[in-house]
Amino acid sequence: MSEIFHFRAAIFDLDGTLLNTLPGIQTSANLMLKDYELANVGPAEIRRFVGDGATMLVTRLLEHANGGKVPVPEALERYLSHFHRHCLDDIAPYPGIPELLNFLHSQNIPVAVCTNKPQDLAEINIHACFPDNSFLHILGDSPDHPKKPAPDGALRLAQAMQATPSQCLYIGDTNTDMRTGQAAGMFTVGAAWGFRSRNELAAFRPDYLAETPDQLLNYLSKTMQNEN
């Protein structure tokens, strides 16, 4: 897929794509590690470890800190307890995201969120940082569908927004997101402003790689002009 025309819906990842949630994640991770007298981690490690859900994040944190004797379910419960208190720490949309969402709304393009973050925390983050009705659907981690990179959640959102997969934009900042969008048959955009490197995203050959939300907005605006 080398060009996109007639797109009818947009699906965004949350952490590292819409919102910079790194401070709260790092604080919660380090509080959990402190509970077990394990060494702190910095933002570079957190950037590498996020993207595949809270269980995998905690698993990677314990492996990195040589906490192999700590039961993952117990550590996960502690992490989530801390994160419920810190999930809004210094949280903010990335520069240009509000303008990108406004553009999509102005074109009557429905917008949804597909994230591996637990459903309740995803809703807390979104409602704290965006006006009501910014997103038609928020789909977080739940037992009724597999986590990304499985395409099930993205495909469910496309159906809910009455769009075929080929009519959907899928925007995310990790290799997990690139695999999700591609597995769903969607036009996949790498968000190089997020938690992972441009090189990581480029290695998975997204249909478009944007350095900033403004760059993506300009690309979409020109694409829509070409449709007319």
Short mmCIF file of all heavy atoms in Angstrom, two decimals, residues 7-31:
data_model
loop_
_atom_site.label_atom_id
_atom_site.label_comp_id
_atom_site.label_asym_id
_atom_site.label_seq_id
_atom_site.Cartn_x
_atom_site.Cartn_y
_atom_site.Cartn_z
N PHE A 7 -10.09 7.57 2.84
CA PHE A 7 -10.11 7.01 4.19
C PHE A 7 -11.32 7.56 4.94
O PHE A 7 -11.75 8.68 4.74
CB PHE A 7 -8.81 7.25 4.94
CG PHE A 7 -8.45 8.69 5.19
CD1 PHE A 7 -8.91 9.34 6.32
CD2 PHE A 7 -7.63 9.38 4.30
CE1 PHE A 7 -8.57 10.66 6.56
CE2 PHE A 7 -7.30 10.70 4.55
CZ PHE A 7 -7.76 11.34 5.67
N ARG A 8 -11.87 6.71 5.81
CA ARG A 8 -13.14 7.03 6.46
C ARG A 8 -13.07 6.95 7.99
O ARG A 8 -14.08 7.17 8.65
CB ARG A 8 -14.23 6.07 5.94
CG ARG A 8 -14.54 6.23 4.45
CD ARG A 8 -15.18 7.58 4.17
NE ARG A 8 -15.43 7.79 2.75
CZ ARG A 8 -14.67 8.51 1.94
NH1 ARG A 8 -13.58 9.11 2.44
NH2 ARG A 8 -14.95 8.67 0.68
N ALA A 9 -11.93 6.60 8.54
CA ALA A 9 -11.82 6.49 10.00
C ALA A 9 -10.35 6.53 10.38
O ALA A 9 -9.47 6.23 9.56
CB ALA A 9 -12.46 5.20 10.50
N ALA A 10 -10.09 6.91 11.64
CA ALA A 10 -8.71 6.97 12.15
C ALA A 10 -8.66 6.32 13.51
O ALA A 10 -9.53 6.57 14.37
CB ALA A 10 -8.22 8.41 12.23
N ILE A 11 -7.65 5.49 13.73
CA ILE A 11 -7.44 4.79 14.99
C ILE A 11 -6.06 5.16 15.52
O ILE A 11 -5.06 5.00 14.80
CB ILE A 11 -7.56 3.27 14.82
CG1 ILE A 11 -8.95 2.90 14.27
CG2 ILE A 11 -7.29 2.56 16.15
CD1 ILE A 11 -9.09 1.44 13.89
N PHE A 12 -6.00 5.63 16.76
CA PHE A 12 -4.75 6.05 17.38
C PHE A 12 -4.39 5.11 18.53
O PHE A 12 -5.25 4.71 19.32
CB PHE A 12 -4.88 7.45 17.98
CG PHE A 12 -4.87 8.57 16.99
CD1 PHE A 12 -6.03 8.93 16.32
CD2 PHE A 12 -3.71 9.30 16.74
CE1 PHE A 12 -6.04 9.97 15.41
CE2 PHE A 12 -3.71 10.35 15.83
CZ PHE A 12 -4.88 10.69 15.16
N ASP A 13 -3.10 4.79 18.64
CA ASP A 13 -2.55 4.28 19.88
C ASP A 13 -2.60 5.41 20.90
O ASP A 13 -2.78 6.58 20.54
CB ASP A 13 -1.11 3.80 19.62
CG ASP A 13 -0.38 3.46 20.89
OD1 ASP A 13 -0.90 2.65 21.67
OD2 ASP A 13 0.72 4.01 21.10
N LEU A 14 -2.43 5.06 22.17
CA LEU A 14 -2.54 6.08 23.23
C LEU A 14 -1.17 6.55 23.72
O LEU A 14 -0.73 7.66 23.42
CB LEU A 14 -3.35 5.52 24.40
CG LEU A 14 -3.51 6.40 25.64
CD1 LEU A 14 -4.12 7.74 25.29
CD2 LEU A 14 -4.35 5.69 26.69
N ASP A 15 -0.46 5.70 24.49
CA ASP A 15 0.82 6.08 25.09
C ASP A 15 1.88 6.26 24.01
O ASP A 15 2.15 5.36 23.21
CB ASP A 15 1.28 4.99 26.06
CG ASP A 15 0.31 4.79 27.21
OD1 ASP A 15 0.33 5.59 28.15
OD2 ASP A 15 -0.48 3.84 27.12
N GLY A 16 2.49 7.45 23.98
CA GLY A 16 3.54 7.70 23.02
C GLY A 16 3.04 8.14 21.66
O GLY A 16 3.85 8.44 20.78
N THR A 17 1.73 8.18 21.49
CA THR A 17 1.15 8.60 20.21
C THR A 17 0.25 9.81 20.42
O THR A 17 0.49 10.87 19.86
CB THR A 17 0.36 7.45 19.56
OG1 THR A 17 1.23 6.33 19.37
CG2 THR A 17 -0.21 7.87 18.22
N LEU A 18 -0.78 9.65 21.24
CA LEU A 18 -1.62 10.79 21.60
C LEU A 18 -1.06 11.56 22.79
O LEU A 18 -1.04 12.79 22.79
CB LEU A 18 -3.03 10.30 21.95
CG LEU A 18 -3.91 9.80 20.81
CD1 LEU A 18 -5.15 9.12 21.37
CD2 LEU A 18 -4.30 10.95 19.88
N LEU A 19 -0.62 10.80 23.80
CA LEU A 19 -0.21 11.41 25.06
C LEU A 19 1.19 10.99 25.47
O LEU A 19 1.58 9.83 25.29
CB LEU A 19 -1.17 10.97 26.18
CG LEU A 19 -2.63 11.41 26.06
CD1 LEU A 19 -3.46 10.74 27.14
CD2 LEU A 19 -2.74 12.93 26.16
N ASN A 20 1.92 11.94 26.03
CA ASN A 20 3.18 11.61 26.69
C ASN A 20 2.86 11.22 28.13
O ASN A 20 2.63 12.07 28.98
CB ASN A 20 4.14 12.79 26.66
CG ASN A 20 5.48 12.44 27.30
OD1 ASN A 20 5.70 11.30 27.73
ND2 ASN A 20 6.37 13.40 27.36
N THR A 21 2.81 9.93 28.36
CA THR A 21 2.46 9.39 29.68
C THR A 21 3.69 8.85 30.41
O THR A 21 3.55 8.19 31.45
CB THR A 21 1.43 8.26 29.52
OG1 THR A 21 1.97 7.27 28.61
CG2 THR A 21 0.12 8.78 28.96
N LEU A 22 4.87 9.13 29.88
CA LEU A 22 6.09 8.53 30.42
C LEU A 22 6.33 8.85 31.90
O LEU A 22 6.70 7.95 32.67
CB LEU A 22 7.30 8.98 29.59
CG LEU A 22 8.58 8.18 29.76
CD1 LEU A 22 8.41 6.75 29.24
CD2 LEU A 22 9.73 8.87 29.03
N PRO A 23 6.12 10.09 32.37
CA PRO A 23 6.42 10.37 33.79
C PRO A 23 5.65 9.49 34.76
O PRO A 23 6.22 8.96 35.72
CB PRO A 23 6.06 11.85 33.94
CG PRO A 23 6.23 12.42 32.57
CD PRO A 23 5.77 11.34 31.65
N GLY A 24 4.35 9.33 34.54
CA GLY A 24 3.55 8.52 35.44
C GLY A 24 3.91 7.06 35.40
O GLY A 24 3.90 6.37 36.43
N ILE A 25 4.22 6.56 34.21
CA ILE A 25 4.64 5.16 34.08
C ILE A 25 5.95 4.93 34.80
O ILE A 25 6.11 3.96 35.55
CB ILE A 25 4.75 4.78 32.59
CG1 ILE A 25 3.40 4.85 31.90
CG2 ILE A 25 5.34 3.37 32.45
CD1 ILE A 25 3.45 4.65 30.40
N GLN A 26 6.91 5.85 34.61
CA GLN A 26 8.21 5.69 35.26
C GLN A 26 8.09 5.76 36.78
O GLN A 26 8.70 4.96 37.50
CB GLN A 26 9.18 6.75 34.75
CG GLN A 26 10.59 6.60 35.33
CD GLN A 26 11.55 7.65 34.82
OE1 GLN A 26 11.26 8.35 33.85
NE2 GLN A 26 12.69 7.77 35.46
N THR A 27 7.32 6.71 37.28
CA THR A 27 7.14 6.83 38.72
C THR A 27 6.51 5.55 39.29
O THR A 27 6.98 5.03 40.32
CB THR A 27 6.24 8.03 39.06
OG1 THR A 27 6.90 9.24 38.67
CG2 THR A 27 5.92 8.09 40.54
N SER A 28 5.50 5.04 38.65
CA SER A 28 4.82 3.84 39.13
C SER A 28 5.72 2.63 39.06
O SER A 28 5.73 1.79 39.97
CB SER A 28 3.55 3.61 38.31
OG SER A 28 2.71 4.74 38.35
N ALA A 29 6.50 2.53 37.98
CA ALA A 29 7.43 1.41 37.85
C ALA A 29 8.47 1.44 38.96
O ALA A 29 8.77 0.40 39.58
CB ALA A 29 8.11 1.47 36.48
N ASN A 30 9.01 2.61 39.24
CA ASN A 30 10.05 2.70 40.26
C ASN A 30 9.49 2.49 41.67
O ASN A 30 10.19 1.94 42.54
CB ASN A 30 10.79 4.03 40.14
CG ASN A 30 11.77 4.03 38.99
OD1 ASN A 30 12.31 2.99 38.62
ND2 ASN A 30 11.99 5.19 38.40
N LEU A 31 8.28 2.89 41.91
CA LEU A 31 7.66 2.61 43.21
C LEU A 31 7.45 1.11 43.40
O LEU A 31 7.67 0.57 44.49
CB LEU A 31 6.33 3.36 43.34
CG LEU A 31 6.43 4.86 43.56
CD1 LEU A 31 5.06 5.52 43.42
CD2 LEU A 31 7.05 5.18 44.92
#
